Every structure is written in structure tokens, then in C-alpha cells.
Amino acid sequence: MESSGQDALSAILPLLKLLSLTVIGLILANPKTKMIPRATFKLLSKLVFALFLPCLIFTELGESISLENIYSWWFIPVNVLVSTLVGFFLGCLVVIICRPPPEFNRFTIIMTAFGNSGNLPLAIVGSVCHTKDSPFGSDCHSKGVAYVSFAQWVSVILVYTLVYHMMEPPLEYYEIVEEGDVIEEQPAVNEHSRPLLVEAEWPGIEDKETEHSKKPSIARIFNNFSALSQTNFPDIDLTDEATSASSPRSIRCLAEPRVVRKFRVVAERTPIQHILQPPTIASLFAIIIGTVPQLKAFVFGYDAPLSFITDTLEILGGAMVPSVMLVLGGMLAEGPNESKLGHRTTIGIIIARLLVLPLIGIGIIASIAKWNIFVNGDTMFRFVLLLQYTTPSAILLGAIASLRGYAVKEASAVLFWQHVLALFSLSVYLIVYFKLVTYV
């Protein structure tokens, strides 16, 4: 009994530390007190995004990674795909059972499938390792940050490709002007009315908007897929002299097929360039330097010629966890926005994401542990894998919703309630995970 009580206390204490930081941010950002203006939290989120987080990723991942480790860690990014796939099916069940408004079907699936794989797991790992009796060993923090960072690139690619297109505004719910068949543009969102969660993991989101970002491009391109008329695609020029009936047969054979052209247009409108953000660039540099022994010896280590630079970056990276939790507190201080999603669907998403998915994750990891594909004796490895099933939906989804002009208020409301209730679900699952990583 005494051992069980100690395990429970060891699991809850790290979360209480993060909760304390969040409460401080909530008090400072409270609209009634206004001790710190909202603009300050926006600037702090930019510092996290552009400085603190890249420094933490580079120093910890670069020092820990090697070619041998990449071979040993292969299941970490695969587990992200597995957890996302399971969440996708759970999202479909939520749609079937809860029956949200039809325009929010894709939104419901996305909010259930894609969890926070970056800032929050890093904060949890940092807090768990910041204890004297950590069950993960002396190098707990370095390994934990390295594992979480190694999985981030998969999530980033999924968000800026699959999620970006799934979050496009539904065509059937947009007003279409008869003359010219042009979709009516929505009014620009005031910077001061934009929810803080939009800025939390992607500062400067308003600068990334394009002429197509708030339009249902894919639906319009592939609408009436087999139709011969090209009047359904006013946004793109799908006509070509080479495809006209009067063209010679030899030219028509060389013309780009209609289906290929549609896929090319979709690819061109995928914001793949957004993948190269500061945290991703830091991960890329860390992997390149860490896997080349000569470069690694020159940059990392006490006797390395550039050790003073890595020490400086390590100091800056230490500010990431408190800053992230303060920004989260500021986000929660704004409260939930009004949502048209419905209470039943919101509750369904929360139950699927915070209750059902972690239980499935425990079963998956416990089953795979018998296959001996994990790093032998590395309890932090298993802990990070389990953590990927437990976190609430990614805050970055709120930024994508704003970029696409789709379900912005609904994203704000769902993310608010998920992060509030995650404090309780994470407490329970951290206790379970501490037991699992010790005995499984």
C-alpha cells in the first residue's frame, strides 16, 4: 500500500507542477485583473515557437541521436501514425453516434484523431524528469525530449497535408454568387478578436493566408468528377488548347490527363513549405549533426569546440516548459467560445480522445511489448509511446481552423474543454503508465 501511494504521488506531482504554472498564467491573463496584457502572451508564444522550443530540440535531440538510435527508435514515428489511425476510427464512431451538424463531420474526426505531439508532451517529460526519485534514470530528460522530438516531424507533415485539406470549408455550406460563380469571401478576422490558441503554436498565422486558404478548393476541383463540363472549376484554369476537339490526335495524346491535372493543382495548393518551421528545422539540423560523428564531436560534449554555443542554447531551451504552460494558462483564461457543434458531440470528442484512446493505447503498447521491438530496459521509451495516446487534441488544429476559416469557434471551445479535463485524465493515466513502464 505504501509503495502504491508513493507511485501515485510520484505520478501526480509532475502534473501538479505544470498545473501551478498554468494557474499562474491564468491569473496573469485574467480579463478582470489584466495584470499582463494579452499581447504579452502572444509575444511569449512567438518566443517559444521561434527560440525556446528549437533550442531545446536541437540540444537534446542532437546529443542523443545517432545512426544506431535511429534504427532503434523506428517505432516512435510509426506509433504516431498508429495512434492517429485509431483516433480517426474513433472520430468516425463519434460522428455516427453523436450526429454533429453535417458541416462539422470532418472537424469532429480531426479533433479526435490528432493529438498534441509537441509542446505538451515535452512539458510533461520535463516535469516528470524534474524530480529526485524519477523512475526513468539520470538521463531521463535528454532521452525523453529526444524521443518526443523524433516523433514531431510525422505530426507536422500530417497537419500541413492531410489535416490542412480536411479542414477546408465544406462546399455545400458556402454561399455561391451566381454571377461569375465566385465564392463570397469572409470578412477578415480582427487580430484582437482572434483566439489566443490560434497564436499558441503557430504565431503569425495571419501572414500565411493565401487566396485559396479559405476556399473549398478540393471539393470544387473534384466536384462532378466524371462531368465533361469545366464550368465547375472557376478557381483554376483547366482548359487547354491541347485538349480541344480540334487539336491533332498526336497533341491530345501528349496533353496532361484531367485527373492528373486535378491532383497537381491540389498538390500545388498544399502548404508544404510551412513544414519548415523553426522547430522542424532544429530537428533536421540535430539529426544531421547527431548522425555524423565528426560534426557531433565538434558541437556536442564538454570538450567540444562549440560547447559554449550548445550551453547557451540549452539555457534558452530551459525556458520552454514554463513559457508553454504560461501561454496555456493565458489561453484558458479567455474561456470557451460559443460553439455550434453541440454538447453531445463535444462530450463525445472528449470521451473518445481522453478516455477511450488512452485505454486502446495501453492495449496496443502492452501487446507490442511482447515482440521485443522496444529499446531494452528503456522505460522512458515506453512512457513516450503511451503518452502519444493520452494528450488532448493539438492546439495547432486551432491555427489551421483559423487559416482555413472553418470551425474556428468550435475548435476554440473543444480545445478549451479538452485541456481543462485533461488535467484529470492525465493524472489517472500517469499513475497507470508509471506502473506499466516499471512492470511491463
Side-chain angles (χ1 to χ4, degrees):
M1 291 292 293
E2 184 178 354
S3 176
S4 299
Q6 290 178 351
D7 290 341
L9 185 62
S10 300
I12 293 176
L13 278 179
L15 202 60
L16 291 177
K17 299 174 188 177
L18 297 180
L19 178 61
S20 301
L21 289 170
T22 305
V23 170
I24 293 174
L26 193 149
I27 295 173
L28 294 176
N30 191 289
K32 295 182 178 179
T33 60
K34 293 184 179 180
M35 298 178 64
I36 293 182
R38 185 174 181 275
T40 303
F41 284 93
K42 293 183 64 176
L43 292 174
L44 183 58
S45 68
K46 291 182 179 181
L47 279 174
V48 171
F49 181 77
L51 183 61
F52 299 154
L53 181 58
C55 289
L56 178 66
I57 291 175
F58 179 79
T59 54
E60 301 296 349
L61 180 60
E63 190 170 8
S64 301
I65 201 167
S66 63
L67 288 175
E68 182 180 355
N69 286 342
I70 291 178
Y71 178 77
S72 302
W73 299 354
W74 67 270
F75 189 73
I76 294 178
V78 171
N79 193 56
V80 175
L81 297 176
V82 173
S83 63
T84 302
L85 184 61
V86 174
F88 182 88
F89 285 110
L90 288 178
C92 293
L93 289 177
V94 173
V95 170
I96 295 172
I97 297 172
C98 299
R99 296 183 180 179
E103 63 268 31
F104 297 125
N105 285 344
R106 284 186 281 113
F107 170 80
T108 301
I109 296 173
I110 290 169
M111 296 301 292
T112 309
F114 294 88
N116 192 321
S117 61
N119 291 354
L120 188 57
L122 286 173
I124 294 174
V125 166
S127 183
V128 166
C129 296
H130 195 265
T131 55
K132 184 181 296 184
D133 300 327
S134 173
F136 302 108
S138 57
D139 55 350
C140 164
H141 188 260
S142 298
K143 291 192 298 184
V145 173
Y147 293 156
V148 174
S149 303
F150 190 65
Q152 273 192 303
W153 62 270
V154 180
S155 302
V156 170
I157 292 176
L158 289 175
V159 166
Y160 290 117
T161 53
L162 179 62
V163 173
Y164 178 83
H165 288 302
M166 287 186 69
M167 288 284 278
E168 78 170 21
L171 177 63
E172 59 270 27
Y173 295 96
Y174 258 52
E175 180 180 358
I176 299 182
V177 181
E178 294 296 335
E179 294 183 4
D181 197 29
V182 178
I183 291 182
E184 184 176 320
E185 293 287 347
Q186 295 183 346
V189 179
N190 190 327
E191 182 179 358
H192 297 288
S193 64
R194 193 187 301 270
L196 183 60
L197 70 89
V198 171
E199 298 283 342
E201 288 197 4
W202 197 6
I205 182 70
E206 63 277 2
D207 299 331
K208 308 299 182 181
E209 295 180 357
T210 66
E211 59 176 320
H212 304 296
S213 62
K214 296 186 184 299
K215 297 179 181 179
S217 301
I218 292 184
R220 302 181 73 192
I221 292 172
F222 288 94
N223 191 31
N224 297 327
F225 185 83
S226 60
L228 296 177
S229 174
Q230 296 180 359
T231 58
N232 294 315
F233 314 107
D235 281 344
I236 58 174
D237 182 16
L238 290 177
T239 60
D240 197 319
E241 294 181 359
T243 60
S244 63
S246 60
S247 299
R249 179 176 299 181
S250 59
I251 298 180
R252 290 203 308 269
C253 292
L254 296 176
E256 186 178 26
R258 175 184 293 272
V259 175
V260 174
R261 177 170 247 187
K262 290 176 180 179
F263 278 106
R264 178 176 59 81
V265 172
V266 171
E268 289 173 352
R269 293 186 182 181
T270 301
I272 198 73
Q273 70 276 10
H274 295 335
I275 291 177
L276 293 178
Q277 299 294 335
T280 314
I281 295 173
S283 300
L284 182 61
F285 275 114
I287 292 174
I288 293 174
I289 294 176
T291 53
V292 180
Q294 294 79 4
L295 290 176
K296 189 172 185 178
F298 193 76
V299 177
F300 296 102
Y302 293 107
D303 298 330
L306 297 182
S307 60
F308 68 96
I309 294 180
T310 53
D311 288 344
T312 302
L313 298 179
E314 186 175 355
I315 294 172
L316 291 171
M320 198 283 295
V321 172
S323 300
V324 163
M325 301 316 296
L326 289 175
V327 171
L328 178 59
M331 184 191 82
L332 296 179
E334 294 185 342
N337 285 338
E338 296 181 0
S339 172
K340 298 179 181 179
L341 189 62
H343 297 300
R344 183 170 58 181
T345 305
T346 302
I347 294 173
I349 293 174
I350 293 173
I351 292 176
R353 182 75 222 175
L354 300 182
L355 180 61
V356 179
L357 184 60
L359 291 175
I360 296 176
I362 291 174
I364 291 175
I365 300 303
S367 301
I368 295 178
K370 301 176 183 179
W371 299 351
N372 296 323
I373 64 175
F374 296 159
V375 179
N376 292 330
D378 193 343
T379 53
M380 176 54 72
F381 188 90
R382 296 177 181 176
F383 179 75
V384 170
L385 294 178
L386 290 167
L387 199 60
Q388 291 174 345
Y389 293 89
T390 315
T391 56
S393 299
I395 297 178
L396 184 58
L397 299 180
I400 297 295
S402 177
L403 180 66
R404 307 252 36 195
Y406 170 56
V408 180
K409 293 182 179 180
E410 286 72 22
S412 176
V414 171
L415 288 172
F416 173 85
W417 290 116
Q418 278 202 42
H419 282 79
V420 169
L421 296 175
L423 298 174
F424 302 98
S425 63
L426 280 171
S427 300
V428 175
Y429 285 114
L430 283 181
I431 296 174
V432 176
Y433 291 173
F434 270 49
K435 293 284 188 180
L436 287 175
V437 299
T438 304
Y439 300 112
V440 174

